[in-house]
Each structure stands twice: as C-alpha cells, then as structure tokens.
Amino acid sequence: MSETSTGAAGLSDTSAAHERSRLSFDLDADICVVGAGLAGLTVALEAARLGASVAVLEGRHVGWNASGHQLGTVMPGYGLPVGELIARVGFEDARKLWSLSRQGADLVRANASEELMPGIGLTEGALEVSKIDVGDQLISRLKMLSEDFETEVEGWQVDRVREQLKTGHYFHGAYYPKAFQVDGRKYIHGLAALARRAGARIFEDTPVVSIDPSGIRKRIVTPSARLRASHIVLAGNIHLGAPLKRLSETLLPVWRYAAVTAPLGERLAEAITFQGSVTDSDGVDHFRIVDGDRLMWSSPETTWAARPQRFAGAIERRIRTIFPRLGKVEISDVFGGAVGQTVHGMPQIGQLRKGLWVTSGFGRQGLNTSAMAGQLIAQSILRGDERWRLFSPFELVWAGGPTGRVAGHIVGMWGRGNSAAAGVLARYRERARARERIREARLVEANRQAGTRPPRPRPPPGQPRPARPAPPAAVEPGAPAQGESENG
Ligand SMILES: Cc1cc2nc3c(=O)[nH]c(=O)nc-3n(C[C@H](O)[C@H](O)[C@H](O)COP(=O)(O)OP(=O)(O)OC[C@H]3O[C@@H](n4cnc5c(N)ncnc54)[C@H](O)[C@@H]3O)c2cc1C
C-alpha cells in the first residue's frame, strides 16, 4: 500500500510525522481499543473527550489499511440502500438509523475544520450518478430521502449531469449539497492527533495477540506487554485475527484500489467541471478532481490481497472508457486497502458481552458510519446511551470463510458485469431514440417541402390496418354536428 495523500493538498504529507511508540510496559486503562483505523480512533477520541483513560493498540501504524487509503468522501446513509433498510427494520427505526448516519457525517465535518486539521481541504457537494436510464426510480427515492429522511438532495436531469461530466455513460444524478470531501489521509492522521491531544495513548507496532474478556477487568496480551481495561473495543476490521477469530469471519474482505493521475491540464476541465465527489449508483466507480487538474479514481476490487500497482493499467483504461475525450492518462500513484463487508450490508456496532464492544464492517462507506459508531460506543460506555441497540437487528453472520470469498468475488463480478451490460443497453436505447427523433424530424421537413402529409403509421406486424375514416357526412344547416347531442 502506498502512502499517498488523497486530497488537493498534494502528495507531500507531513501530518503522519510523529514518533511511533510501541507498548513495552504493562498498563491499566478504562478503555482499550484494538486498531487505529477510522473506527478505533473515533472511539478513542470521543471517549477521551468524555474523560476516560484510553489506550489504542495498533498492530502496524495509524491508517495502515483502508482508513489511510480512502478517497475522503463523506455521504449520509449506509452501504445498504434506504429501501432495503426500511424493509429490514421498519420505517421508524430506518429513519432513526439514517439520522444517526447524518450525525456521523456532522461529526467528521466538525473534526475536519481547518483549525483542527490544517490543510484538510474540505470541499462541498457529492453527486451520485446512474449508469442506466432510471429517472422515475431516482425521483421516488429522492422524494423519500428529502421528505421522510430529512436529507438535502436534488435530482439532476441527464442534460445537467452531462454538462458537468462529459460522458455518455451517466444518466440521471442525485446531488447531495451537504455531502463533502476531505483529504482522506490527512483526516486519519488528524484524528490520531486529536485523540492524542484529548489524552488517548496510541501504541503502534503493537499487535493484540489474545484477549480475555471475562471478569470486570479484562486482559489484553501483546508480544511485549499486557494491558488491563474495563472495556475492550474491537476495531480491527478484517485483520483482527487471533483475539476473536470468529468475529473476523463475519466479514467478507474486499480489496479496493485507487489511483491518482499525473496533472491533466486543460483537458480535465473540458471533460469534468463538477468539483465534488462522483460515485455511480452501482458502487463501481468513485472519483474526483484533486490538486486542480489531477483525477483521483477508485474502481477495481478483488477478494484477495494484491499489489495495488498491478491495477494501474486497469484504472487508466477505466478512466478512458468513461471519459474518452481525456485520451491516455498517466497514472502517478496507485494505492488500496481492504474493506470489511457484512452479509447484511450494515456495520457491526454493539456490545458482544459486558464490556466487549465491536465497531467494524463499514464497507465502502466508512467515514460517516465509523464516526457515528465511535460516538455511540463512547457515549454508551460513559453516559449509558443505548442507541447502539438500533443496530441489534443486524447480527453477526458468518461470511462463509474462503468459499464466501470466492462466492463474493463471483457475485461482485456478476453485479459489475450486469451493471455494465445494463449501462450499454441504456446507452444503445438512448442512441436509438436520438436516431428515431432525427429521422422523424427529417420526414416532417421533407413532407413540409413537398406539401404532402406524413404517411399514416403502419400497424404493428400481424395486425390489420385500421379502416380509413369515413368522409365527413354533409351537415345540414341547423343540424347538430357529429358528436354533438340533440339536446346539448
Ligand atoms: C480505495 C478505498 C477508497 C475508499 N473511499 C472511501 C470514501 O471516500 N468514503 C468513505 O466513507 N469510505 C471509503 N472507503 C472505506 C473506508 O476506508 C473504510 O470503511 C474504513 O477505513 C474502515 O475503517 P476501520 O477502522 O474499520 O478499518 P481499518 O482501516 O482496516 O483499520 C483497522 C486497523 O486495525 C488494526 N488491527 C487489526 N487487527 C489488529 C490486532 N489484532 N491488533 C492490533 N491492531 C489490529 C489494523 O492494522 C488496522 O490499522 C474506502 C476504502 C478504500 C479501500
């Protein structure tokens, strides 16, 4: 995984610069957090802000996995579409869960101020585009989001989308003016800095090799030290491993790769004028402009770990397919990380047994959801807030082990293949409609010039031609015209 900064502030990032310390002495704390990704660091920050003593144990370094290699887009909601959320938990609880997801985004916004995280480069607005022509479906979803889920969202017609994104691959769009993006890498290191400032201690190169969650004071074992804490929060995502293997097995790991192009100059502005993040409704492509004239693009996925550099060519081709007018683009950096997908598509947030917590399974949408989870868990431990129970219907489900990974890959490929095929079909239909409109206009013009009427439309094959209408009957003066009744 490379160490690319994912924002307009450029590729040189100094925010990660701090002295790494490994836990080499036994320690007591109120809360021990396993994992220094977005999930673990948000719990640590929130709990430390509420006055708890917190130790974070990280096996590698802050932001080592997905959290240090994300694109920084902060949207409301979850990986699970809102319709499916309602089907699963009912309308009222879906509304509450959705509102929590917005609170998560608000928390990221509050943390990501220039004052707290200099150079974070927060910019507003994100656009979700459809790859098939589904205007009606989109409008009903937008209506529900804005009327029932208090989310600001605008429907964009195809023309408006294509004014900003010069490609025939996208149709309608949903524009979220309150969504935003930040420099993803700066955010994770900024979060670590805020947590430290609030009093949390972060130990890197400190893998947790086992835990004993029984008893009031729980024990945590690392290669060179032991820790005792009243609460353990497992935030290790797919790499958690030995401390609770069965928990890791409830996640399907998906490696996602992204690239940043070399500066593209004027040609980028000619192809893309939208300045926020763009995601497609199938979750295949996700991109935005960084540094003024570079494109940051995330697309391919695998269910096994691979070197991100292997995907440079695939990302370059994908960019060219969607925006042919860009021509060949040079890739200057490739990076990636593994996200944990749950079987039901919702994150794992809650208490497994007294004092043992989990915050994981955030999939591709981890910024707002992990922030909300951190806040819920810290407030539950320290303030008795029980709202995390809203996530109880989404229990831990075994993700199928290695067979599940193969199945997940096939399902993913099928879904992507399907959406690509649907996109091709939608674009074909659109071209056919345009050709038909041109043909009709030419016919009308030819008839006008020739002074003739257009021919009657042919009946569909197998159906008789309709009878010619009878010539109008001669109307006697004072008699009612055809269709008029005698008495009115
Ligand atoms: C290319 C890409 C782009 C993305 N873009 C976005 C985006 O724009 N917006 C968005 O919302 N989301 C995005 N995501 C998703 C987001 O990055 C993830 O959902 C999120 O980072 C998950 O955070 P986490 O803390 O749960 O996991 P991780 O980032 O995996 O962190 C877990 C940490 O725990 C540590 N750990 C594990 N086990 C142990 C152990 N036993 N002992 C000690 N430490 C341990 C690991 O070393 C790791 O550092 C993207 C993901 C990728 C890969």
Side-chain angles (χ1 to χ4, degrees), residues 178-468:
K178 294 256 169 84
F180 57 96
Q181 40 276 315
V182 294
D183 180 322
R185 188 165 151 72
K186 284 214 163 92
Y187 183 75
I188 185 77
H189 291 287
L191 206 54
L194 290 183
R196 284 192 187 95
R197 211 179 301 161
R201 301 175 76 179
I202 302 173
F203 300 97
E204 297 171 280
D205 298 323
T206 304
V208 172
V209 291
S210 71
I211 57 171
D212 176 2
S214 54
I216 292 181
R217 296 293 286 166
K218 297 164 195 327
R219 290 159 208 277
I220 300 101
V221 180
T222 76
S224 47
R226 281 160 193 271
L227 200 140
R228 291 191 331 155
S230 306
H231 295 266
I232 302 176
V233 182
L234 301 172
N237 192 10
I238 64 142
H239 296 100
L240 181 67
L244 203 57
K245 215 160 174 40
R246 275 177 27 235
L247 183 60
S248 305
E249 287 171 355
T250 60
L251 292 176
L252 175 73
V254 176
W255 278 262
R256 194 166 170 84
Y257 308 94
V260 177
T261 68
L264 300 175
E266 281 301 302
R267 64 187 161 134
L268 183 57
E270 282 158 20
I272 301 175
T273 48
F274 187 73
Q275 294 298 314
S277 296
V278 180
T279 54
D280 72 45
S281 43
D282 301 311
V284 176
D285 297 311
H286 175 186
F287 57 89
R288 69 185 166 102
I289 294 175
V290 292
D291 290 348
D293 67 347
R294 291 174 192 253
L295 200 49
M296 183 164 63
W297 192 290
S298 143
S299 184
E301 288 181 349
T302 57
T303 51
W304 59 88
R307 262 185 350 106
Q309 284 66 26
R310 273 186 48 192
F311 297 94
I315 298 176
E316 192 275 322
R317 284 192 298 280
R318 184 76 195 150
I319 296 174
R320 199 148 25 112
T321 302
I322 303 290
F323 292 105
R325 67 168 62 203
L326 281 177
K328 199 168 164 48
V329 298
E330 193 189 321
I331 299 292
S332 64
D333 196 14
V334 195
F335 53 95
V339 300
Q341 307 268 34
T342 56
V343 169
H344 40 62
M346 286 291 280
Q348 302 169 331
I349 300 170
Q351 192 169 208
L352 301 176
R353 58 186 290 173
K354 201 160 172 33
L356 181 64
W357 299 84
V358 60
T359 169
S360 218
F362 297 106
R364 298 192 197 108
Q365 199 170 337
L367 272 154
N368 68 320
T369 49
S370 66
M372 171 264 297
Q375 203 168 40
L376 282 184
I377 291 175
Q379 289 190 349
S380 179
I381 294 175
L382 297 153
R383 296 273 158 87
D385 180 342
E386 293 288 284
R387 283 177 301 163
W388 62 267
R389 290 189 191 280
L390 282 166
F391 289 86
S392 303
F394 304 100
E395 61 287 300
L396 303 175
V397 186
W398 184 57
T403 326
R405 290 188 189 196
V406 174
H409 184 64
I410 292 167
V411 170
M413 296 273 284
W414 183 80
R416 281 160 170 254
N418 236 7
S419 84
V424 168
L425 196 63
R427 291 195 299 284
Y428 169 79
R429 285 203 189 112
E430 192 186 37
R431 281 198 302 273
R433 273 201 300 271
R435 275 200 301 271
E436 185 61 20
R437 276 197 297 274
I438 293 170
R439 204 181 66 81
E440 275 167 14
R442 280 198 190 127
L443 197 62
V444 167
E445 180 56 19
N447 279 316
R448 194 188 61 74
Q449 286 184 12
T452 53
R453 290 216 315 243
R456 282 190 303 139
R458 280 174 178 279
Q463 280 188 30
R465 255 178 195 277
R468 277 178 183 278

Side-chain angles (χ1 to χ4, degrees), residues 106-149:
D106 290 345
L107 179 63
V108 177
R109 188 184 278 277
N111 286 336
S113 68
E114 278 299 320
E115 198 189 348
L116 294 178
M117 297 186 184
I120 191 73
L122 190 151
T123 56
E124 307 282 350
L127 183 63
E128 184 188 328
V129 287
S130 68
K131 291 198 341 230
I132 47 172
D133 204 349
V134 284
D136 296 349
Q137 280 174 33
L138 185 82
I139 283 158
S140 69
R141 183 161 63 94
L142 299 192
K143 239 172 122 184
M144 182 161 70
L145 282 180
S146 66
E147 287 172 10
D148 302 322
F149 287 74

